[in-house]
PDB file of all heavy atoms in Angstrom:
ATOM      1  N   LEU A  29      88.450  13.688  -7.478  1.00 98.00           N
ATOM      2  CA  LEU A  29      87.792  13.605  -6.226  1.00 98.00           C
ATOM      3  C   LEU A  29      88.789  14.015  -5.083  1.00 98.00           C
ATOM      4  O   LEU A  29      89.845  13.418  -4.976  1.00 98.00           O
ATOM      5  CB  LEU A  29      87.200  12.276  -5.909  1.00 98.00           C
ATOM      6  CG  LEU A  29      85.941  11.833  -6.749  1.00 98.00           C
ATOM      7  CD1 LEU A  29      85.622  10.408  -6.400  1.00 98.00           C
ATOM      8  CD2 LEU A  29      84.800  12.716  -6.423  1.00 98.00           C
ATOM      9  N   VAL A  30      88.342  14.896  -4.222  1.00 98.00           N
ATOM     10  CA  VAL A  30      89.148  15.220  -3.041  1.00 98.00           C
ATOM     11  C   VAL A  30      89.044  14.001  -2.125  1.00 98.00           C
ATOM     12  O   VAL A  30      87.969  13.378  -1.993  1.00 98.00           O
ATOM     13  CB  VAL A  30      88.558  16.486  -2.347  1.00 98.00           C
ATOM     14  CG1 VAL A  30      89.143  16.664  -0.950  1.00 98.00           C
ATOM     15  CG2 VAL A  30      88.832  17.714  -3.187  1.00 98.00           C
ATOM     16  N   ASP A  31      90.134  13.715  -1.443  1.00 98.00           N
ATOM     17  CA  ASP A  31      90.161  12.561  -0.524  1.00 98.00           C
ATOM     18  C   ASP A  31      90.963  13.145   0.760  1.00 98.00           C
ATOM     19  O   ASP A  31      92.123  13.312   0.705  1.00 98.00           O
ATOM     20  CB  ASP A  31      90.879  11.366  -1.088  1.00 98.00           C
ATOM     21  CG  ASP A  31      90.891  10.175  -0.101  1.00 98.00           C
ATOM     22  OD1 ASP A  31      90.395  10.289   1.004  1.00 98.00           O
ATOM     23  OD2 ASP A  31      91.448   9.106  -0.531  1.00 98.00           O
ATOM     24  N   LEU A  32      90.214  13.249   1.810  1.00 98.00           N
ATOM     25  CA  LEU A  32      90.807  13.818   3.046  1.00 98.00           C
ATOM     26  C   LEU A  32      91.013  12.734   4.071  1.00 98.00           C
ATOM     27  O   LEU A  32      91.484  12.984   5.207  1.00 98.00           O
ATOM     28  CB  LEU A  32      89.867  14.903   3.706  1.00 98.00           C
ATOM     29  CG  LEU A  32      89.579  16.076   2.809  1.00 98.00           C
ATOM     30  CD1 LEU A  32      88.683  17.104   3.545  1.00 98.00           C
ATOM     31  CD2 LEU A  32      90.836  16.816   2.324  1.00 98.00           C
ATOM     32  N   LEU A  62      81.268  17.291   6.960  1.00 98.00           N
ATOM     33  CA  LEU A  62      82.651  16.726   7.120  1.00 98.00           C
ATOM     34  C   LEU A  62      82.760  15.453   6.262  1.00 98.00           C
ATOM     35  O   LEU A  62      83.759  15.214   5.575  1.00 98.00           O
ATOM     36  CB  LEU A  62      83.020  16.551   8.567  1.00 98.00           C
ATOM     37  CG  LEU A  62      84.376  15.883   8.825  1.00 98.00           C
ATOM     38  CD1 LEU A  62      85.457  16.853   8.453  1.00 98.00           C
ATOM     39  CD2 LEU A  62      84.487  15.466  10.280  1.00 98.00           C
ATOM     40  N   GLU A  63      81.747  14.593   6.394  1.00 98.00           N
ATOM     41  CA  GLU A  63      81.809  13.304   5.583  1.00 98.00           C
ATOM     42  C   GLU A  63      81.875  13.578   4.138  1.00 98.00           C
ATOM     43  O   GLU A  63      82.648  12.904   3.387  1.00 98.00           O
ATOM     44  CB  GLU A  63      80.549  12.485   5.992  1.00 98.00           C
ATOM     45  CG  GLU A  63      80.528  11.175   5.275  1.00 98.00           C
ATOM     46  CD  GLU A  63      79.435  10.228   5.799  1.00 98.00           C
ATOM     47  OE1 GLU A  63      78.738  10.620   6.683  1.00 98.00           O
ATOM     48  OE2 GLU A  63      79.316   9.101   5.227  1.00 98.00           O
ATOM     49  N   LEU A  64      81.122  14.520   3.654  1.00 98.00           N
ATOM     50  CA  LEU A  64      81.098  14.784   2.208  1.00 98.00           C
ATOM     51  C   LEU A  64      82.292  15.499   1.699  1.00 98.00           C
ATOM     52  O   LEU A  64      82.747  15.402   0.610  1.00 98.00           O
ATOM     53  CB  LEU A  64      79.795  15.497   1.806  1.00 98.00           C
ATOM     54  CG  LEU A  64      78.501  14.618   1.983  1.00 98.00           C
ATOM     55  CD1 LEU A  64      77.267  15.456   1.489  1.00 98.00           C
ATOM     56  CD2 LEU A  64      78.605  13.312   1.330  1.00 98.00           C
ATOM     57  N   LEU A  65      82.859  16.330   2.592  1.00 98.00           N
ATOM     58  CA  LEU A  65      84.230  16.941   2.286  1.00 98.00           C
ATOM     59  C   LEU A  65      85.249  15.850   2.191  1.00 98.00           C
ATOM     60  O   LEU A  65      86.081  15.765   1.241  1.00 98.00           O
ATOM     61  CB  LEU A  65      84.637  17.895   3.346  1.00 98.00           C
ATOM     62  CG  LEU A  65      84.059  19.342   3.333  1.00 98.00           C
ATOM     63  CD1 LEU A  65      84.343  20.053   4.655  1.00 98.00           C
ATOM     64  CD2 LEU A  65      84.558  20.143   2.182  1.00 98.00           C
ATOM     65  N   ALA A  66      85.201  14.945   3.143  1.00 98.00           N
ATOM     66  CA  ALA A  66      86.284  13.913   3.237  1.00 98.00           C
ATOM     67  C   ALA A  66      86.300  12.998   2.075  1.00 98.00           C
ATOM     68  O   ALA A  66      87.318  12.498   1.574  1.00 98.00           O
ATOM     69  CB  ALA A  66      86.088  13.064   4.499  1.00 98.00           C
ATOM     70  N   THR A  67      85.080  12.606   1.518  1.00 98.00           N
ATOM     71  CA  THR A  67      84.942  11.621   0.472  1.00 98.00           C
ATOM     72  C   THR A  67      84.936  12.246  -0.936  1.00 98.00           C
ATOM     73  O   THR A  67      84.897  11.547  -1.925  1.00 98.00           O
ATOM     74  CB  THR A  67      83.734  10.782   0.680  1.00 98.00           C
ATOM     75  OG1 THR A  67      82.582  11.631   0.671  1.00 98.00           O
ATOM     76  CG2 THR A  67      83.795  10.019   1.973  1.00 98.00           C
ATOM     77  N   GLY A  68      84.982  13.610  -0.979  1.00 98.00           N
ATOM     78  CA  GLY A  68      85.044  14.199  -2.323  1.00 98.00           C
ATOM     79  C   GLY A  68      83.666  14.613  -2.925  1.00 98.00           C
ATOM     80  O   GLY A  68      83.647  15.130  -4.007  1.00 98.00           O
ATOM     81  N   ALA A  69      82.635  14.482  -2.145  1.00 98.00           N
ATOM     82  CA  ALA A  69      81.323  14.828  -2.680  1.00 98.00           C
ATOM     83  C   ALA A  69      81.214  16.347  -2.920  1.00 98.00           C
ATOM     84  O   ALA A  69      80.373  16.773  -3.787  1.00 98.00           O
ATOM     85  CB  ALA A  69      80.174  14.412  -1.787  1.00 98.00           C
ATOM     86  N   LEU A 178      84.939   8.465   9.448  1.00 96.00           N
ATOM     87  CA  LEU A 178      83.692   9.043   9.012  1.00 96.00           C
ATOM     88  C   LEU A 178      82.633   8.807  10.140  1.00 96.00           C
ATOM     89  O   LEU A 178      82.843   7.914  11.005  1.00 96.00           O
ATOM     90  CB  LEU A 178      83.183   8.300   7.759  1.00 96.00           C
ATOM     91  CG  LEU A 178      84.130   8.470   6.483  1.00 96.00           C
ATOM     92  CD1 LEU A 178      83.474   7.702   5.337  1.00 96.00           C
ATOM     93  CD2 LEU A 178      84.204   9.933   6.117  1.00 96.00           C
ATOM     94  N   THR A 190      80.430   5.843  -1.136  1.00 98.00           N
ATOM     95  CA  THR A 190      81.096   7.110  -1.275  1.00 98.00           C
ATOM     96  C   THR A 190      81.047   7.449  -2.837  1.00 98.00           C
ATOM     97  O   THR A 190      80.654   6.662  -3.667  1.00 98.00           O
ATOM     98  CB  THR A 190      82.631   6.975  -0.892  1.00 98.00           C
ATOM     99  OG1 THR A 190      83.227   6.048  -1.806  1.00 98.00           O
ATOM    100  CG2 THR A 190      82.734   6.513   0.559  1.00 98.00           C
ATOM    101  N   PRO A 191      81.432   8.708  -3.196  1.00 98.00           N
ATOM    102  CA  PRO A 191      81.476   9.066  -4.646  1.00 98.00           C
ATOM    103  C   PRO A 191      82.283   8.072  -5.381  1.00 98.00           C
ATOM    104  O   PRO A 191      81.894   7.661  -6.467  1.00 98.00           O
ATOM    105  CB  PRO A 191      82.036  10.436  -4.639  1.00 98.00           C
ATOM    106  CG  PRO A 191      81.614  11.038  -3.328  1.00 98.00           C
ATOM    107  CD  PRO A 191      81.683   9.889  -2.305  1.00 98.00           C
ATOM    108  N   ALA A 192      83.458   7.673  -4.891  1.00 97.00           N
ATOM    109  CA  ALA A 192      84.356   6.753  -5.595  1.00 97.00           C
ATOM    110  C   ALA A 192      83.691   5.417  -5.772  1.00 97.00           C
ATOM    111  O   ALA A 192      83.680   4.756  -6.871  1.00 97.00           O
ATOM    112  CB  ALA A 192      85.697   6.570  -4.895  1.00 97.00           C
ATOM    113  N   TYR A 297      79.494  12.286  -7.998  1.00 98.00           N
ATOM    114  CA  TYR A 297      79.152  10.900  -7.909  1.00 98.00           C
ATOM    115  C   TYR A 297      78.984  10.176  -9.258  1.00 98.00           C
ATOM    116  O   TYR A 297      78.715   8.972  -9.271  1.00 98.00           O
ATOM    117  CB  TYR A 297      77.761  10.790  -7.141  1.00 98.00           C
ATOM    118  CG  TYR A 297      77.887  10.825  -5.679  1.00 98.00           C
ATOM    119  CD1 TYR A 297      77.857  12.013  -5.002  1.00 98.00           C
ATOM    120  CD2 TYR A 297      77.972   9.642  -4.893  1.00 98.00           C
ATOM    121  CE1 TYR A 297      77.987  12.052  -3.581  1.00 98.00           C
ATOM    122  CE2 TYR A 297      78.047   9.660  -3.535  1.00 98.00           C
ATOM    123  CZ  TYR A 297      78.092  10.897  -2.882  1.00 98.00           C
ATOM    124  OH  TYR A 297      78.218  10.958  -1.495  1.00 98.00           O
TER     125      TYR A 297
END
Side-chain angles (χ1 to χ4, degrees):
L29 287 176
V30 168
D31 182 1
L32 301 180
L62 178 66
E63 180 171 359
L64 295 184
L65 280 169
T67 58
L178 296 179
T190 66
Y297 277 86

